[in-house]
Protein backbone atom coordinates (compact mmCIF):
# COMPACT_ATOMS: atom_id res chain seq x y z
CA UNK A 1 0.00 0.00 0.00
CA UNK A 2 2.91 2.33 0.74
CA UNK A 3 4.16 1.95 -2.84
CA UNK A 4 0.97 3.72 -3.96
CA UNK A 5 0.80 6.33 -1.18
CA UNK A 6 4.19 7.96 -1.85
CA UNK A 7 3.53 8.60 -5.57
CA UNK A 8 0.10 10.01 -4.75
CA UNK A 9 1.69 12.29 -2.16
CA UNK A 10 4.24 13.43 -4.75
CA UNK A 11 1.42 13.99 -7.26
CA UNK A 12 -0.37 16.24 -4.76
CA UNK A 13 2.64 18.24 -3.55
CA UNK A 14 4.35 18.63 -6.95
CA UNK A 15 1.55 20.36 -8.84
CA UNK A 16 0.78 22.53 -5.79
CA UNK A 17 4.35 23.84 -5.87
CA UNK A 18 4.49 24.08 -9.66
CA UNK A 19 1.24 26.01 -10.00
CA UNK A 20 1.82 28.09 -6.84
CA UNK A 21 -1.56 26.89 -5.57
CA UNK A 22 -2.82 29.43 -3.03
CA UNK A 23 0.66 30.94 -2.92
CA UNK A 24 2.26 27.84 -1.40
CA UNK A 25 5.55 28.31 -3.29
CA UNK A 26 5.68 31.99 -2.38
CA UNK A 27 4.99 31.26 1.30
CA UNK A 28 7.60 28.49 1.27
CA UNK A 29 10.24 30.85 -0.12
CA UNK A 30 9.36 33.66 2.30
CA UNK A 31 9.61 31.25 5.24
CA UNK A 32 12.91 29.88 3.94
CA UNK A 33 14.36 33.35 3.37
CA UNK A 34 13.37 34.34 6.90
CA UNK A 35 15.32 31.46 8.43
CA UNK A 36 18.23 31.26 5.98
CA UNK A 37 19.87 34.64 5.72
CA UNK A 38 22.53 35.41 3.12
CA UNK A 39 26.04 35.00 4.48
CA UNK A 40 27.77 38.11 3.33
CA UNK A 41 29.74 40.91 4.96
CA UNK A 42 27.81 43.38 2.79
CA UNK A 43 24.24 44.51 3.26
CA UNK A 44 21.66 43.41 0.72
CA UNK A 45 19.45 46.14 -0.69
CA UNK A 46 15.76 45.65 -1.40
CA UNK A 47 16.29 45.19 -5.14
CA UNK A 48 18.79 42.37 -4.63
CA UNK A 49 16.50 40.66 -2.13
CA UNK A 50 13.55 40.94 -4.51
CA UNK A 51 15.58 39.42 -7.37
CA UNK A 52 16.80 36.63 -5.08
CA UNK A 53 13.22 35.95 -3.92
CA UNK A 54 11.96 35.84 -7.52
CA UNK A 55 14.76 33.44 -8.49
CA UNK A 56 13.92 31.10 -5.64
CA UNK A 57 10.20 31.19 -6.46
CA UNK A 58 11.01 30.08 -10.02
CA UNK A 59 13.35 27.40 -8.62
CA UNK A 60 10.63 26.18 -6.23
CA UNK A 61 8.15 25.94 -9.10
CA UNK A 62 10.65 23.95 -11.20
CA UNK A 63 11.19 21.71 -8.19
CA UNK A 64 7.43 21.15 -8.16
CA UNK A 65 7.58 20.00 -11.80
CA UNK A 66 10.41 17.59 -10.98
CA UNK A 67 8.52 16.21 -7.96
CA UNK A 68 5.47 15.67 -10.17
CA UNK A 69 7.54 13.80 -12.76
CA UNK A 70 9.08 11.68 -10.01
CA UNK A 71 5.60 10.87 -8.72
CA UNK A 72 4.47 9.80 -12.19
CA UNK A 73 7.53 7.58 -12.55
CA UNK A 74 6.99 6.01 -9.14
CA UNK A 75 3.31 5.45 -9.93
CA UNK A 76 4.20 3.62 -13.15
CA UNK A 77 6.81 1.55 -11.29
CA UNK A 78 4.32 0.66 -8.55
CA UNK A 79 1.69 -0.27 -11.13
CA UNK A 80 4.17 -2.41 -12.98
CA UNK A 81 5.19 -4.26 -9.82
CA UNK A 82 1.57 -4.76 -8.82
CA UNK A 83 0.65 -6.16 -12.22
CA UNK A 84 3.61 -8.54 -12.16
CA UNK A 85 2.83 -9.73 -8.65
CA UNK A 86 6.10 -8.53 -7.09
CA UNK A 87 4.54 -6.98 -4.03
Amino acid sequence: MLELMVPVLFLVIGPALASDYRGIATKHIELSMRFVRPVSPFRWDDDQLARRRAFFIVFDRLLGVMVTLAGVGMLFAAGHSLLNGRV
Side-chain angles (χ1 to χ4, degrees):
M1 189 66 172
L2 184 63
E3 66 270 2
L4 292 177
M5 295 297 289
V6 173
V8 170
L9 182 66
F10 273 43
L11 289 174
V12 169
I13 293 174
L17 282 174
S19 66
D20 199 18
Y21 178 72
R22 292 192 178 195
I24 193 169
T26 306
K27 289 176 190 172
H28 179 243
I29 293 303
E30 288 173 357
L31 182 67
S32 298
M33 286 182 72
R34 193 177 320 147
F35 286 111
V36 180
R37 294 285 179 194
V39 178
S40 174
F42 307 107
R43 297 199 68 190
W44 290 62
D45 63 354
D46 291 336
D47 187 42
Q48 289 173 326
L49 287 174
R51 279 188 277 140
R52 185 169 184 243
R53 180 178 172 268
F55 170 76
F56 280 122
I57 288 173
V58 169
F59 177 74
D60 208 28
R61 294 180 88 176
L62 288 174
L63 181 68
V65 170
M66 292 188 304
V67 167
T68 302
L69 292 175
V72 169
M74 284 189 289
L75 192 62
F76 278 123
H80 186 292
S81 68
L82 284 174
L83 290 175
N84 289 331
R86 296 181 184 165
V87 176

